[in-house]
Amino acid sequence: MIQRIQTVYLAIVLILSFVGLISTIGEWTVANAVVAHFSNFTFGAEGQFKSMDSTSGPWCLGILLILTMFLSLMSIMLFRKRMRQLRLTIISTILLVGYVAAYIFFAYVYQVKLESLCGEGSGCIPPTFHLKFAAVFPILSIILNCLAIQGIRKDEALVRSLDRIR
């Protein structure tokens, strides 16, 4: 099981998803002071932006990462059933692409809300968004899933060629 390279790729995806799940994935700053932070389950604002509604947090991002972790774990366990492993890895990749799209959407929506709270005539400086390091993990996971898919396909081709020889 572990000697197959796609198992290593899937294990790294599992680890990256877990670390990304518990980390802050973005923040808004004004003059090097953090005014809002963004994680997979919550959005929190501070200072003059405290009035912003934070009850509608980005919980779907956390759910997508949990599903990705579950599918990666299932793919590792199904090392003998390569076609099922391939399907689960493809679904995991699609979920990660959806995660990246949802992340961009939520970051844009929160940026617009924070800028609208600042107002044009109030004289306050609108906050700027900064990616945190953990925001890159889903993109790395997509790349690793693609490498795992490639490895699974190679294994399946090898097994089919050996079946033809017999």
Side-chain angles (χ1 to χ4, degrees):
M1 173 173 93
I2 196 67
Q3 57 269 53
R4 296 171 55 210
I5 190 67
Q6 58 266 28
T7 304
V8 175
Y9 293 147
L10 292 170
I12 294 172
V13 168
L14 182 65
I15 292 167
L16 287 176
S17 297
F18 178 74
V19 171
L21 184 68
I22 62 174
S23 301
T24 302
I25 54 176
E27 64 185 16
W28 284 266
T29 59
V30 174
N32 293 331
V34 177
V35 295
H37 58 86
F38 180 35
S39 69
N40 288 305
F41 289 104
T42 61
F43 172 82
E46 301 160 0
Q48 67 189 13
F49 301 102
K50 188 75 170 164
S51 63
M52 188 172 156
D53 179 28
S54 63
T55 58
S56 61
W59 53 268
C60 69
L61 294 176
I63 299 297
L64 286 173
L65 275 184
I66 290 172
L67 286 173
T68 300
M69 288 170 41
F70 177 72
L71 289 175
S72 295
L73 184 63
M74 289 301 297
S75 292
I76 291 170
M77 295 301 151
L78 292 172
F79 63 94
R80 291 186 184 178
K81 299 177 182 176
R82 285 170 299 281
M83 294 313 291
R84 190 170 293 159
Q85 186 182 34
L86 180 69
R87 285 188 206 111
L88 289 176
T89 307
I90 290 171
I91 292 170
S92 174
T93 305
I94 292 169
L95 287 176
L96 284 168
V97 169
Y99 175 89
V100 171
Y103 176 82
I104 292 169
F105 172 75
F106 279 115
Y108 176 75
V109 166
Y110 290 136
Q111 178 70 31
V112 169
K113 284 184 180 181
L114 287 171
E115 286 176 355
S116 69
L117 283 177
C118 194
E120 291 182 22
S122 66
C124 82
I125 301 169
T128 57
F129 180 71
H130 299 284
L131 287 174
K132 299 295 275 186
F133 186 68
V136 180
F137 291 166
I139 296 169
L140 292 174
S141 295
I142 290 171
I143 294 168
L144 290 170
N145 269 345
C146 290
L147 291 172
I149 289 169
Q150 196 174 27
I152 295 167
R153 286 185 177 152
K154 282 182 183 177
D155 276 359
E156 184 63 24
L158 179 65
V159 168
R160 287 181 191 237
S161 71
L162 290 176
D163 284 344
R164 272 194 304 256
I165 294 173
R166 286 190 230 168

